[in-house]
Amino acid sequence: MSDTSYTPPKVWTWEQQSGGRFASINRPISGATHDKELPAGKHPFQLYSLATPNGVKVTVMFEELLAKGHEGAEYDAWLINIGEGDQFGSGFVDINPNSKIPALLDRSGDTPVRVFESGSILVHLAEKFGEFLPASGPARTEVMNWLFWQMGSAPYLGGGFGHFYAYAPEKWQYPIDRFAMETKRQLDVLDRQLAEHDFIAGKDYTIADIAIWPWYGQLVLGRLYDAAEFLDVESYKNVMRWAKAIDARPAVSRGRMVNRAFGELHTQLRERHDASDFDTRTQDKLEAGDS
């Protein structure tokens, strides 16, 4: 099939078999496909997620809050396997009608509060604990500028470049060129900003960094789409410096492991219910115990 062989019909219809790797994940309707209650643990926060870049934002945020001594930020993290359709269970849809991870239930108050969309979760937690987001003024606005930049930009990286470069059933030059160009433009935006600032929004580490790093930081570190060489990421020296600095934070290392169900077994903590789980319940230890 060539780039020019497709003529759109007058009315589009869904052909599930054309969806490639994501045929079982994406569909043109919303709502639950089956009844399934979500598990719940003992902590104030119940997180339902997977360690995609959007999921990593939230687990990094929780681990950073705990590292700062906020005991009230303890959380249970439950694995949502999107490849098996867990996000379409009735319990998950009750928390996030958009059926996307991450989704959070905040039980720290009198009435449970559902929070969905990763950016909303970051702001919710930042305001609740008074961390990683200035309370007011121009500094807060600058953080929010970059948080919303990420929310608007990352679909071009993930759903655009990542999909056509790494996941689409066939490799087509036009969409790969289109989204590679946009991804490199976004990296240049970040590189210019980081040429003058230690962190994305200024001198302090904020939710802007926590939101942007799982996408663009991990991209330049070679962890997304096997595309580092293709995108010449080494040329973005300021982004690389920033990405490595954040990668070295212990809370970030822990956050990357939570709800991870792929990669080397010692990096997978599929569920997290206590800080000790990082030492005792990674997948390599669980599977060794079964043998």
Side-chain angles (χ1 to χ4, degrees):
M1 180 182 292
S2 70
D3 290 11
T4 59
S5 65
Y6 175 67
T7 300
K10 289 184 177 181
V11 178
W12 181 84
T13 57
W14 183 33
E15 296 181 11
Q16 187 172 7
Q17 67 273 15
S18 69
R21 175 173 170 178
F22 297 99
S24 64
I25 296 175
N26 297 320
R27 59 195 183 118
I29 56 174
S30 63
T33 61
H34 58 283
D35 290 329
K36 184 177 181 180
E37 293 185 7
L38 291 174
K42 64 181 181 180
H43 294 307
F45 296 96
Q46 301 296 303
L47 177 66
Y48 304 94
S49 193
L50 180 70
T52 66
N54 285 333
V56 167
K57 296 176 196 176
V58 178
T59 50
V60 165
M61 182 66 170
F62 272 120
E63 292 300 325
E64 292 281 14
L65 290 169
L66 291 169
K68 275 185 165 286
H70 291 284
E71 295 180 2
E74 272 292 353
Y75 68 107
D76 292 284
W78 303 92
L79 180 67
I80 297 296
N81 190 327
I82 63 175
E84 295 183 1
D86 291 349
Q87 72 275 31
F88 300 120
S90 57
F92 189 89
V93 173
D94 284 345
I95 298 179
N96 186 356
N98 196 40
S99 292
K100 302 291 184 182
I101 62 93
L104 178 69
L105 190 64
D106 177 354
R107 307 185 307 183
S108 62
D110 293 336
T111 303
V113 176
R114 73 176 189 181
V115 196
F116 60 90
E117 289 296 318
S118 57
S120 179
I121 295 173
L122 291 180
V123 173
H124 180 81
L125 294 174
E127 291 182 337
K128 180 173 285 287
F129 292 99
E131 299 284 2
F132 307 117
L133 176 64
S136 62
R140 178 187 175 90
T141 299
E142 184 69 359
V143 172
M144 298 298 280
N145 289 341
W146 287 103
L147 175 64
F148 281 93
W149 177 89
Q150 186 278 315
M151 299 297 289
S153 296
Y156 288 96
L157 171 55
F161 173 75
H163 177 79
F164 286 105
Y165 182 79
Y167 302 134
E170 298 181 52
K171 295 289 189 287
W172 294 337
Q173 182 177 354
Y174 176 79
I176 291 174
D177 282 353
R178 169 67 181 88
F179 290 112
M181 177 181 67
E182 177 61 15
T183 297
K184 288 181 70 66
R185 188 194 69 79
Q186 293 173 1
L187 287 170
D188 192 55
V189 169
L190 292 175
D191 204 60
R192 291 170 186 265
Q193 176 71 4
L194 289 165
E196 299 180 359
H197 304 284
D198 291 338
F199 296 102
I200 293 293
K203 63 181 179 62
D204 296 322
Y205 177 67
T206 69
I207 58 171
D209 302 281
I210 294 172
I212 294 170
W213 182 87
W215 283 103
Y216 297 89
Q218 294 203 99
L219 177 69
V220 300
L221 293 173
R223 296 174 184 158
L224 291 185
Y225 313 127
D226 195 23
E229 182 179 8
F230 180 76
L231 294 171
D232 188 24
V233 298
E234 292 287 348
S235 65
Y236 303 98
K237 298 187 184 303
N238 300 306
V239 178
M240 189 67 72
R241 181 267 307 164
W242 164 84
K244 290 179 179 178
I246 293 179
D247 193 49
R249 296 176 69 91
V252 173
S253 295
R254 292 192 297 273
R256 285 187 60 230
M257 296 171 64
V258 179
N259 294 145
R260 186 176 175 88
F262 47 87
E264 295 181 292
L265 294 178
H266 73 276
T267 70
Q268 299 182 30
L269 183 61
R270 297 186 180 181
E271 291 184 4
R272 187 265 190 216
H273 304 290
D274 186 85
S276 65
D277 290 346
F278 291 100
D279 298 320
T280 62
R281 295 191 61 80
T282 52
Q283 200 63 22
D284 59 327
K285 294 182 175 65
L286 293 180
E287 293 192 11
D290 290 339
S291 61

